[in-house]
Amino acid sequence: MSLSLLVFYTAVISAPSLGFLIDTVQQITHRQICYTGLGCFATDPPFTSLQRPLSVLPDSPDVIQTTFLLYTRSNPTTTNEQILSASNLTSIATSYFNSQKQTKFIVHGFTHNGHRQWIRNMVAQLLIKDDYNVIVVDWGHGSGIPYTQATANTRVVGAQIAQLITVLQQSFNASMGDMHIIGHSLGAHISGYAGERLQHLGRITGKLSSF
Ligand SMILES: *[C@@H]1O[C@H](CO)[C@@H](O)[C@H](O)[C@H]1NC(C)=O
Ligand SMILES: *[C@@H]1O[C@H](CO)[C@@H](O)[C@H](O)[C@H]1NC(C)=O
């Protein structure tokens, strides 16, 4: 709605209904949802603005089903990928994750998932280049249309990456400076949200130009 139209509507609405309108607008714009271990996500500005008048709340972790897929030189392909969980330390302790090595996170964007060909290629190339831990962040159950919902979900996925990195640091002695998050499309937004929650993160690389 353009500003002039909004002014027009405001002008023709009588005083009592104006109060109702303001209440309704606040109900739409000031909503929040909290997820255990990740914090609360509100639609307050900047998530609602003139540029983004309709802001939606992020889906729950149960819906998004974010999965962290570990690849190393010991298990470089999807047939022997290992799933790491921030809430299951055994899944990390029994994996090939090595906290003395550098870790590369790859985060896909809108409509993609963690098993796209470009991701497999990137995993392979990174493991040729160096002896990294490569962690693919698969949030394919939350990245689909509508774009507004996928955009909202990036906030939860960013929080989940921050949660995993914190566990890797605190329980496995990994160094924050060894963490590098590579994000494509909405994955770049996710990287930003993860970085916002972490101090001294090694590096973020974002590519925003296209889906
Ligand atoms: C934790 O991870 C281990 C190793 O992957 C697995 O065997 C176990 O079932 C997991 N525990 C839970 C509660 O998911
Ligand atoms: C923790 O990591 C540091 C830096 O990589 C290393 O020097 C140290 O030996 C590690 N400590 C343990 C208990 O593994």
Side-chain angles (χ1 to χ4, degrees), residues 170-192:
Q170 292 181 351
S171 301
F172 294 92
N173 191 36
S175 161
M176 205 55 103
D178 283 342
M179 300 288 164
H180 177 196
I181 309 179
I182 303 163
H184 176 242
S185 159
L186 285 182
H189 296 234
I190 290 172
S191 310

Side-chain angles (χ1 to χ4, degrees), residues 69-140:
L69 305 167
L70 172 73
Y71 304 92
T72 69
R73 284 184 172 179
S74 302
N75 64 320
T77 64
T78 51
T79 52
N80 50 19
E81 67 195 11
Q82 294 176 326
I83 296 176
L84 306 184
S85 165
S87 60
N88 181 352
L89 298 189
T90 309
S91 74
I92 303 170
T94 59
S95 77
Y96 287 115
F97 177 80
N98 182 336
S99 63
Q100 299 306 302
K101 296 178 186 171
Q102 291 182 45
T103 299
K104 303 285 183 187
F105 285 85
I106 304 174
V107 195
H108 67 80
F110 186 48
T111 73
H112 285 194
N113 63 62
H115 288 114
R116 282 295 182 106
Q117 191 60 47
W118 71 264
I119 294 184
R120 294 180 192 209
N121 295 347
M122 189 181 265
V123 170
Q125 288 305 313
L126 283 168
L127 291 175
I128 288 169
K129 181 162 181 286
D130 213 332
D131 193 6
Y132 297 125
N133 307 296
V134 180
I135 299 177
V136 171
V137 182
D138 187 338
W139 60 291

Side-chain angles (χ1 to χ4, degrees), residues 1-13 18 21 24-25 28-29 48-54:
M1 187 188 293
S2 74
L3 194 59
S4 58
L5 201 56
L6 186 68
V7 170
F8 172 74
Y9 273 130
T10 309
V12 296
I13 287 167
L18 182 61
L21 179 69
T24 306
V25 167
I28 294 170
T29 57
T48 303
S49 66
L50 278 179
Q51 289 74 32
R52 183 159 36 172
L54 284 179

